[in-house]
Amino acid sequence: MKKTMTLFMALALMVSVLTGCGAKDTGGSGKESDTIKIGLNYELSGNVATYGQSSVAGIELAIDEVNKDGGVLGKQIELIKVDNKSDSAEAANVSTRLATRDKVVAILGPATSGNTKGATPPAMQNKVPLISSSATDDDVTVDSNGKVREYIFKTCFNDSFQGVTMANFAFNDLKLKNAAILFDNTSDYAKGLMNSFKKTYPSLGGKILVEETYQAKETDFKAVLTKIKSTNPEVIYIPGYYEEVGLIVKQARELGIEVPVLGGDGYDSPKLLEIANKDSLHDVYYTNHYSPMDTAPEVVAFKEAFLAKNGKDADAFNALGYDLAKFLVDAIDRAGEANSEKIKDALASTKDFKGVTGSLSIDENHNPVKAVTILELVDGEPKFLKKLEP
Amino acid sequence: MKILNKKNILSILAILIVYAIVELLTHLGVIDSYIQLNLILIGINIILAVSLNLITGFTGQFSLGHAAFMSIGAYTSGIVTAKLGLPFIVGIIAAAVVASIAGIIIGIPTLRLRGDYLAIATLGFGEIVKIIAINNDYIGGAVGLNDIPQYTNWTWTYFLVVLTVFIIYNFIKSYHGRACIAIREDEIAAEAMGVNTTYYKILVFTIGAFFAGIAGALYANYFSFIKPDSFGFMKSVDILVIVVFGGLGSISGSIIGAIALSLISVFLQNIPELRMVIYAVILFLIMVYRPQGIMGNVELKLFNKKGGLNGYAGSK
């Protein structure tokens, strides 16, 4: 019995290895086909799978539209979708695979900064452009010596930009001089926002009274909120994700903290309203990539197309994914050839690309220059407040 | 026994031939960077699994903190090579030493605990390491440490895997190794027979941490980016799964487990929707039909002609 089992296992292993080889062969031979291959390196499983899946839904919609209109350069676009398990080493693995096996001309993704950094070295080595639509961390496109990473691009603004915008908004628009900060210290994203807010706000003349932290997955924030309340801030900056922010705002209002709450794009989810309730979500302002209330024709068209295809309303990740795919197609078109090197040059020279999330140009650090939207929650519903051009 | 007997010479030859074949295929372009990456990943997993097997499989100390030692090694090597600009070999040695010091520090208080209690304590240790890394801005905090030079290659990985397997295999076959197996089988009996259980438990923990630190250094200097949550609780579980899958108390089992699970993961990249389901089903089937893991506690013939040396002496 033992022996047959061992034999069976050995066989199973052999088969898996062999089928793997077979799959690899077919992967490499499709080069002369008349499609342009684009790799998707996304978090389709694991702890941030929602971001990856949302981005991919947006990308697929965009590519469907492009293919329906005859593709680009007379060729159809073929998406090769690979999962990176929300793990940075796996993202490197997928990146290598897409570049060397599937021979894609460009890679889209991953959705988070950490995984994008993981996916970066193979893209650089294989000289394949890699573009993320939501890796907001500042050093994604620039290395620690301040040198720009040649093949890495992003189409979303930096974390620091959101923090700076909010500091300006709090000081100049809301005219509030005393702020408290409460941030998720397990999140690189929240830390990025917090750091730039902390730097900008005092330089404008504001004062940061207290700086407190929480950790993702916590549910009781009363202690830390009581502490914040005792310093009597006029405004609280809470960079973080909607799961905790919903609870924080709710508990803050219960404790009688009625001052405005400021945040970033992590607030953007219908779940925020489910977690906090309608009554507590007032005087909440956050920076975001786009406003679903925008009445520009391309935004309306996108929203309708997305609703028709997926049966639900588009969120910011969907919109960013959609723009990302269109942005790449635009670059391939301008490059005139489906060649990674030329696409990279075309990407770097993008000027005034019109997307759903606003028009964007790529600066010398491969970051986009684009407008940021500030939304206000009124009874739990996001209302478009203002759009700040860079 | 002579050191250069026929068996040893053959083993060394086999090791060198495998290395030469891979090098040759790399030069011929058969092994591209994708296969190479996966070979290195498998190598790192082998080091982690074999070193955890020493702690959990051979000495019977259930540890859920192995990723924490890896994390310490990764960060140490990251600091040494990226921040201080020293060569890779210094990074590897520093990683191994710092991780093993952590092994001693955590080992002395927690190894008084047994079974579940030890598992919880090591779990806590893993969280502590993660929280420290998150709150330390010098190493990037939650953002992670980026731009670590890419020194790890096939040669480094392969020879460090060989070194790990060689040392741990010989340790287990030594007087000390038998003492460890005695602790696993029955701690009280072992103590009664004069085995210094505390000493051996800490020794094993330190050796395990030493090699996990090396694996961490390889990881950091290959992927060039590390962040605290890459080495969380789930990473420890992943390593433990490899060990249990391959067989507790079998080094060749750990090697096969590391290879098999890495390959399965690679082949499932294309089907994200079913990836974790299939992975779970495979693990489930193995555990139902072969609860002792693929190899049980038997070594492959290539490694051990006698076989069954490390056998269980009855029920646990």
Side-chain angles (χ1 to χ4, degrees), chain A residues 105-108 128-132 149-155 323-336 339-353 360-368:
Chain A
V105 295
I107 299 170
L108 301 181
V128 174
L130 180 134
I131 326 162
S132 172
R149 298 181 207 271
E150 211 183 336
Y151 292 87
I152 314 300
F153 297 86
K154 67 177 167 204
T155 60
D323 267 5
L324 174 65
K326 284 280 172 88
F327 172 72
L328 175 62
V329 169
D330 171 68
I332 295 175
D333 193 36
R334 280 186 292 116
N339 166 303
S340 295
E341 204 65 28
K342 288 195 174 148
I343 292 173
K344 179 218 37 170
D345 294 337
L347 284 169
S349 62
T350 304
K351 281 272 168 299
D352 297 325
F353 165 79
L360 69 89
S361 303
I362 293 294
D363 71 6
E364 71 281 3
N365 285 335
H366 291 185
N367 291 322

Side-chain angles (χ1 to χ4, degrees), chain A residues 258-274:
Chain A
E258 299 292 341
V259 299
V261 170
L262 311 177
D265 58 336
Y267 285 30
D268 184 63
S269 168
K271 292 244 170 65
L272 184 66
L273 179 58
E274 285 171 30

Side-chain angles (χ1 to χ4, degrees), chain A residues 41 43 84 86-97 107 109-126 130 132 135 137 139-140 149 152 188, chain B residues 37 143-148 150 219-220 222-227 230:
Chain A
N41 179 352
E43 294 84 345
N84 64 27
S86 307
D87 174 62
S88 61
E90 189 72 9
N93 198 334
V94 170
S95 211
T96 312
R97 192 199 116 150
I107 299 170
T112 57
S113 301
N115 295 336
T116 306
K117 286 178 200 168
T120 295
M124 292 290 286
Q125 280 151 16
N126 294 300
L130 180 134
S132 172
D137 199 3
D139 66 346
V140 167
R149 298 181 207 271
I152 314 300
D188 48 348
Chain B
L37 183 148
V143 180
L145 189 57
N146 205 353
D147 296 310
I148 302 166
Q150 266 198 305
Y219 181 97
Y222 188 75
F223 293 106
S224 92
F225 168 68
I226 46 174
K227 57 177 178 153
S230 301

Side-chain angles (χ1 to χ4, degrees), chain B residues 270-281:
Chain B
N270 283 329
I271 31 175
E273 297 81 6
L274 291 174
R275 188 177 198 172
M276 291 327 279
V277 178
I278 295 175
Y279 188 77
V281 167

Side-chain angles (χ1 to χ4, degrees), chain A residues 195-239:
Chain A
N195 277 329
S196 64
F197 184 89
K198 201 167 82 174
K199 238 183 271 162
T200 314
Y201 194 65
S203 73
L204 295 167
K207 212 172 132 200
I208 291 170
L209 301 172
V210 58
E211 189 187 317
E212 291 292 335
T213 64
Y214 66 90
Q215 289 186 3
K217 308 263 179 327
E218 273 182 47
T219 52
D220 186 7
F221 304 93
K222 294 228 163 91
V224 68
L225 285 169
T226 310
K227 215 157 145 193
I228 288 176
K229 195 187 173 191
S230 67
T231 63
N232 286 321
E234 291 172 314
V235 57
I236 312 177
Y237 188 52
I238 313 178

Side-chain angles (χ1 to χ4, degrees), chain A residues 302-324:
Chain A
F302 161 72
K303 270 166 55 192
E304 280 170 3
F306 191 87
L307 187 64
K309 184 167 188 268
N310 296 287
K312 59 184 173 104
D313 285 325
D315 62 19
F317 275 97
N318 298 136
L320 286 167
Y322 180 86
D323 267 5
L324 174 65

